[in-house]
């Protein structure tokens, strides 16, 4: 499984307009939280005071009803837990730091999950989340103090796509091209991918792809390799203009995955089914040749320096 599996999501969460490189810094940064920050938020939701939470931590999160609620809320807050599929191993590991000399942390944690989580009925969501957390808390590593990247939910990525298409007034024929599988060959696609990757926190024009963010988002941990990093450095030395630099990095350093196209097609079809095309006389282009606007009247006061 490779990095290009993010094609599976791009068509449901991208904007097909190109922003100047200097505008990239104005995007909202990728969401990051530490485990303690997520826990503090959940304590507020559950009306737990700081003294109570401090006791939970001091006692190693005892198996109590409110503790289980707090733990599950925290894992959901970090998007590292799903009530149906369980713990998202590729994401939760970012919040724990093994000691370098410990070579058995992974096997210990896996054994703990098999023995204490797998046998539990799926409906026992709080107990399953609590036991999964305890496996990582006791056997994987110390809690990381630094905020970590929070992967976007599928719902959020779909919302990105719906809002972006509406706000940017993307031509419907482009979305129709996506729906029939014409992605890489569609001339707008590199622009779509460029803006999407910046907005979602996968790419920074200054530094390139953040491989850890991508691996966490799409569960493609095999991209965390020196080979991929070296390829990216070589491309950045050869290409200087965006979005071509991002596009060439994407094409040269990461293998294509056909399944991604199929999911992208379904997402585009879903969008087309949910929306209705505007008639040509309503949509317009945003510009009418020969049109001259009326002059704004002079006022005795001015707003925003426009006097």
């Amino acid at each position: 499984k490779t990095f290009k599996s993010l094609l599976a999501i791009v068509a449901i969460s991208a904007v097909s307009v190109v922003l100047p490189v200097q505008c990239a810094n104005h995007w909202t940064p990728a969401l990051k939280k530490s485990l303690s920050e997520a826990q503090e938020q959940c304590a507020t939701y559950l009306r737990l005071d700081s003294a109570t939470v401090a006791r939970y931590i001091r006692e190693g999160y005892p198996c109590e009803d409110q503790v289980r609620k707090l733990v599950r809320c925290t894992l959901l807050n970090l998007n590292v837990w799903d009530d149906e599929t369980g713990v998202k191993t590729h994401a939760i590991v970012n919040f724990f730091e093994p000691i370098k000399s410990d070579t058995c942390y992974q096997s210990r944690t896996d054994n703990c999950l098999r023995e204490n989580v797998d046998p539990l009925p799926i409906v026992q969501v709080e107990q399953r989340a609590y036991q999964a957390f305890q496996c990582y808390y006791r056997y994987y590593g110390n809690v990381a103090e630094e905020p970590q990247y929070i992967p976007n939910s599928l719902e959020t990525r779909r919302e990105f796509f719906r809002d972006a298409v509406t706000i940017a007034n993307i031509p419907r024929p482009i979305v129709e091209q996506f729906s029939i599988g014409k992605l890489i060959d569609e001339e707008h696609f590199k622009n779509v991918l460029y803006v999407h990757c910046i907005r979602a926190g996968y790419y920074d024009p200054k530094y390139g792809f953040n491989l850890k963010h991508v691996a966490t988002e799409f569960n493609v941990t095999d991209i965390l390799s020196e080979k991929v990093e070296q390829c990216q450095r070589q491309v950045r030395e050869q290409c200087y203009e965006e979005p071509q630099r991002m596009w060439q990095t994407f094409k040269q350093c990461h293998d294509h995955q056909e399944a991604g196209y199929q999911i992208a097609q379904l997402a585009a079809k879903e969008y087309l089914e949910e929306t209705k095309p505007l008639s040509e006389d309503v949509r317009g282009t945003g510009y009418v040749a020969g049109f001259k606007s009326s002059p704004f009247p002079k006022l005795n006061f001015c707003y925003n320096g426009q006097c």
Side-chain angles (χ1 to χ4, degrees), residues 3-15:
F3 171 62
K4 276 205 172 177
S5 61
L6 75 83
L7 278 170
I9 307 300
V10 166
I12 59 174
S13 55
V15 188

Side-chain angles (χ1 to χ4, degrees), residues 197-269:
C197 287
I198 293 175
R199 188 174 188 182
Y202 313 143
Y203 186 81
D204 187 316
K206 290 184 178 180
Y207 308 107
F209 281 101
N210 188 314
L211 298 181
K212 187 175 181 180
H213 287 187
V214 176
T216 300
E217 182 88 337
F218 300 100
N219 191 14
V220 285
T221 54
D222 57 322
I223 69 168
L224 300 174
S225 68
E226 177 58 32
K227 179 181 178 181
V228 175
E229 291 183 357
Q230 182 178 357
C231 177
Q232 293 197 146
R233 287 193 296 268
Q234 291 174 346
V235 172
R236 292 185 67 79
E237 291 173 358
Q238 298 167 3
C239 300
Y240 302 99
E241 298 293 330
E242 297 288 8
Q244 187 65 17
R245 182 165 58 182
M246 179 281 306
W247 181 242
Q248 289 302 321
T249 303
F250 184 72
K251 289 206 307 181
Q252 295 183 32
C253 301
H254 314 288
D255 297 331
H256 163 61
Q257 188 180 43
E258 189 62 32
Y261 283 119
Q262 297 172 2
I263 298 176
Q265 282 183 248
L266 292 175
K269 289 178 181 178

Side-chain angles (χ1 to χ4, degrees), residues 113-132:
L113 292 170
R114 279 194 297 270
E115 294 174 3
N116 298 285
V117 180
D118 292 353
L120 293 173
I122 193 171
V123 294
Q124 294 185 9
V125 292
E126 289 179 358
Q127 183 68 12
R128 289 170 58 232
Y130 171 79
Q131 292 293 354

Side-chain angles (χ1 to χ4, degrees), residues 11 37 41 54 70 93 125 127 129 133 146 172 181 187-188 194 233 237 263 266 269 280:
E37 288 171 337
Q41 291 174 337
L70 177 64
V93 296
V125 292
Q127 183 68 12
F133 171 78
E146 293 296 319
R172 191 175 180 86
E187 63 176 323
H188 294 275
Y194 177 67
R233 287 193 296 268
E237 291 173 358
I263 298 176
L266 292 175
K269 289 178 181 178
E280 289 300 321

Side-chain angles (χ1 to χ4, degrees), residues 138-204:
R138 294 176 179 273
Y139 297 128
Y140 195 92
N142 295 315
V143 172
E145 296 182 0
E146 293 296 319
Q148 303 295 319
Y149 175 76
I150 307 298
N152 295 302
S153 66
L154 181 59
E155 291 77 12
T156 298
R157 293 191 287 261
R158 285 177 174 170
E159 185 177 356
F160 280 167
F161 180 71
R162 289 193 297 267
D163 291 347
V165 168
T166 303
I167 294 170
N169 199 24
I170 297 175
R172 191 175 180 86
I174 292 179
V175 185
E176 292 172 348
Q177 291 294 303
F178 291 165
S179 73
I180 60 176
K182 292 185 177 180
L183 298 171
I184 291 292
D185 295 332
E186 213 289 316
E187 63 176 323
H188 294 275
F189 189 69
K190 71 174 68 172
N191 299 333
V192 171
L193 185 64
Y194 177 67
V195 177
H196 165 68
C197 287
I198 293 175
R199 188 174 188 182
Y202 313 143
Y203 186 81
D204 187 316

